[in-house]
Amino acid sequence: MENLTIDFNENIDCHKNIDHHENIENHIERYKNIDLEAIFSNHCPDIISSQKIMLSSVVIPVINIDGVDNILLEVRGNKLKHQPGEISFPGGKMEADERPIDTAVREFCEELMCNEDSIDIISRLNQYIAPNKGIIYTFLGRVKNIDLGISNDEVERLLLVPISFFKTAQPTVIMNKVSFEPADDFPFEEMRIPKDYFDFKVDNEVIFYKYENEIIWGITAYIIRDFVSKINL
């Protein structure tokens, strides 16, 4: 889905050109009886945001080893520009006109150097809203016939963690404080609001799982916690 980009300066110039009474009346007449039903009959909902939203997809890959279901995670390459050495799911940014599930499968195959036959998507799971980063679509998949010893520029190594670990372990929870700092030229007087209007802090939860000598935290940990909360045997 393509995002709609609006040039506000262009809209302002457009209104400046309506400088005759007749043009103004025509402009008003045009918007008197709007056929909203026709305009929105095939509307595809998008996202309202003050910033450009990045859409990504990941797979929660589950692989059975000797009768034990494990979540298959990646240890990211140390030479990567973003989050080197951290633990994450296979996944990445959606390309233009690509469906979330297509992104998830494509990224899985690229990073784990396999073909689509190696992953069976079971279900789409909850999507994660990443503050100031975007939306991450998540999919549950069953993995088969894969080389667990792979290593490439993106993936230093693979990490297997039993689902049972996440069902019994309680993550460490740290509450950070996030504050809002208005710009120096923020129009407080024009908006008739006091300068202490934004003088508050918001709690921001960060969670950590420690498995053996590995730390699984942040977005990956959030997605895992939500996933395993759905498994009640």
Side-chain angles (χ1 to χ4, degrees):
M1 182 190 306
E2 295 183 358
N3 290 328
L4 175 65
T5 302
I6 300 176
D7 187 341
F8 290 100
N9 293 325
E10 181 180 336
N11 289 343
I12 292 172
D13 291 339
C14 177
H15 286 292
K16 285 181 179 178
N17 291 332
I18 304 174
D19 53 3
H20 295 93
H21 184 68
E22 182 178 354
N23 288 341
I24 293 175
E25 286 187 344
N26 290 339
H27 192 71
I28 293 173
E29 186 69 25
R30 181 182 176 188
Y31 290 97
K32 272 189 175 180
N33 296 294
I34 305 172
D35 191 350
L36 297 175
E37 289 77 11
I39 293 172
F40 290 94
S41 61
N42 295 310
H43 175 66
C44 183
D46 206 338
I47 300 158
I48 299 174
S49 175
S50 61
Q51 301 177 10
K52 183 178 180 180
I53 293 293
M54 184 175 76
L55 302 179
S56 305
S57 286
V58 301
V59 177
I60 302 177
V62 174
I63 185 168
N64 189 283
I65 305 293
D66 297 330
V68 177
D69 281 329
N70 299 266
I71 295 178
L72 179 62
L73 297 163
E74 299 176 350
V75 179
R76 292 170 58 82
N78 286 317
K79 295 182 179 180
L80 289 175
K81 183 178 179 181
H82 300 291
Q83 301 170 306
E86 293 191 10
I87 295 172
S88 67
F89 292 114
K93 183 179 178 181
M94 287 176 57
E95 296 181 353
D97 301 323
E98 191 174 38
R99 297 181 305 166
I101 190 171
D102 296 331
T103 303
V105 172
R106 174 180 57 77
E107 289 284 345
F108 176 87
C109 294
E110 290 176 359
E111 294 175 16
L112 274 67
M113 303 167 63
C114 62
N115 55 46
E116 294 184 8
D117 293 338
S118 296
I119 181 76
D120 290 331
I121 299 298
I122 297 172
S123 174
R124 176 173 165 177
L125 301 177
N126 293 338
Q127 56 199 41
Y128 179 84
I129 308 298
N132 298 322
K133 290 187 178 181
I135 296 177
I136 301 174
Y137 297 94
T138 66
F139 294 85
L140 175 63
R142 179 74 74 173
V143 180
K144 55 187 179 181
N145 302 325
I146 196 168
D147 179 8
L148 297 177
I150 68 161
S151 180
N152 51 50
D153 292 340
E154 289 192 64
V155 182
E156 179 184 327
R157 57 187 170 87
L158 299 179
L159 174 67
L160 296 175
V161 183
I163 290 178
S164 58
F165 165 78
F166 295 109
K167 287 299 295 182
T168 56
Q170 292 298 319
T172 299
V173 178
I174 295 178
M175 299 300 296
N176 291 328
K177 296 289 185 179
V178 179
S179 60
F180 180 87
E181 184 176 346
D184 293 336
D185 58 350
F186 193 89
F188 285 101
E189 293 184 5
E190 184 179 352
M191 296 181 65
R192 300 178 183 177
I193 58 176
K195 289 191 174 182
D196 62 355
Y197 186 87
F198 298 107
D199 188 16
F200 62 88
K201 293 183 179 181
V202 178
D203 288 336
N204 179 46
E205 180 192 58
V206 181
I207 64 174
F208 303 78
Y209 287 100
K210 184 174 183 180
Y211 176 71
E212 296 179 349
N213 294 320
E214 309 286 357
I215 300 295
I216 304 164
W217 74 292
I219 294 174
T220 302
Y222 282 123
I223 293 174
I224 289 175
R225 183 176 65 176
D226 182 73
F227 163 59
V228 299
S229 71
K230 307 294 187 294
I231 303 174
N232 296 307
L233 303 177

